[in-house]
């Protein structure tokens, strides 16, 4: 059995196709990292927005009397 690449420089060059192979690899990894970072930021923004909304709802509920409970006369 014979190795396809005899050195690291041959592996990186990939028979003169290394520029295309490694640039595609780098673009793919870059896009994946972008989506991971973007998704995490969107999730954090959504959690913050929901907590603000929940706090506002709690304030409205505290200010509005509940019609089901009887007020003492």
């Amino acid at each position: 059995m014979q190795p396809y690449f005899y050195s690291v420089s041959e592996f990186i060059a990939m028979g003169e196709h290394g520029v295309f192979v490694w640039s595609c690899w780098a673009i793919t990894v870059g896009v994946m990292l972008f989506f991971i970072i973007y998704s995490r930021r969107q999730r954090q923004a959504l959690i913050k927005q929901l907590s603000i909304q929940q706090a506002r709802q709690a304030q409205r509920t505290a200010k509005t009397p509940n019609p089901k409970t009887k007020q003492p006369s």
Side-chain angles (χ1 to χ4, degrees), residues 9-50:
S9 62
E10 285 182 25
F11 175 72
I12 291 173
M14 293 208 175
E16 298 179 9
H17 298 291
V19 173
F20 302 109
V21 172
W22 295 114
S23 63
C24 289
W25 187 86
I27 290 169
T28 301
V29 169
V31 168
M32 290 174 66
L33 288 174
F34 169 77
F35 280 129
I36 290 170
I37 292 168
Y38 178 77
S39 296
R40 286 187 177 187
R41 287 187 180 174
Q42 287 295 101
R43 181 178 180 268
Q44 289 172 350
L46 180 62
I47 290 171
K48 184 177 179 180
Q49 182 182 9
L50 288 174

